[in-house]
Amino acid sequence: YQKHVDEVNARENCRARSTLKKEIENYLHKDAIIAAYKELGINLTITANFDSFDNVPQKVAQIVHEASDSPKAWNELTDKEKEEKESKAKRVLCSRAPRYMNSTLLHEIDPDGDLLQWFKDINDLLNKAGGELCR
């Protein structure tokens, strides 16, 4: 993706960066994920944070499924059933779990400060651009 990042960065008032993790869900701490599901009455056991390039929605969907006492094992589900469960997990991860993040959890999951740098970049662009953003 570096070629695309370089192309965007060559444009005025534009800033692109390659992230250090696969997707936004990889920046969620396990404690925030557990709390989000607890709010829904689902108790999850997640003992470690997910790795930077794990498919977090898929892994969480599987954990939720296994916690549901379904008579079907995860590997017995159809691809469509798995996709639906992953989609539900992604919605919970993106809408509920961030509410439980704090600076301590963020630093633990993102010690390099990648996510905070995104916000600094956005702030710098907004202040520099005077309303004229990347095109």
Side-chain angles (χ1 to χ4, degrees):
Y1 295 106
Q2 191 58 49
K3 178 184 173 204
H4 298 291
V5 169
D6 293 342
E7 288 172 2
V8 171
N9 285 334
R11 300 191 316 241
E12 188 176 354
N13 295 327
C14 296
R15 178 74 175 112
R17 64 175 42 250
S18 294
T19 60
L20 299 177
K21 296 182 184 279
K22 180 178 179 168
E23 54 190 345
I24 195 69
E25 294 86 359
N26 295 79
Y27 290 89
L28 292 169
H29 193 280
K30 67 177 178 59
D31 293 350
I33 296 169
I34 291 167
Y37 276 93
K38 187 172 186 137
E39 177 183 315
L40 297 172
I42 301 169
N43 294 315
L44 300 184
T45 301
I46 303 173
T47 58
N49 284 312
F50 295 101
D51 289 333
S52 294
F53 289 91
D54 282 344
N55 184 333
V56 176
Q58 179 185 62
K59 288 183 175 278
V60 170
Q62 184 173 353
I63 293 167
V64 170
H65 177 76
E66 290 167 355
S68 74
D69 293 327
S70 171
K72 273 181 141 176
W74 178 259
N75 60 359
E76 295 174 335
L77 298 175
T78 66
D79 287 344
K80 183 176 180 180
E81 289 171 320
K82 288 179 183 178
E83 287 172 13
E84 288 171 0
K85 289 177 180 280
E86 288 174 39
S87 179
K88 287 180 185 177
K90 191 167 185 81
R91 280 194 302 275
V92 171
L93 292 169
C94 290
S95 66
R96 292 181 184 266
R99 295 184 220 156
Y100 294 98
M101 290 293 293
N102 60 40
S103 61
T104 301
L105 297 181
L106 181 58
H107 180 71
E108 194 174 310
I109 195 75
D110 183 23
D112 297 318
D114 190 38
L115 190 59
L116 290 177
Q117 188 58 53
W118 300 355
F119 291 115
K120 289 177 185 171
D121 288 347
I122 292 167
N123 186 57
D124 290 349
L125 282 171
L126 289 173
N127 288 331
K128 177 182 172 187
E132 184 65 31
L133 295 179
C134 185
R135 294 178 189 245

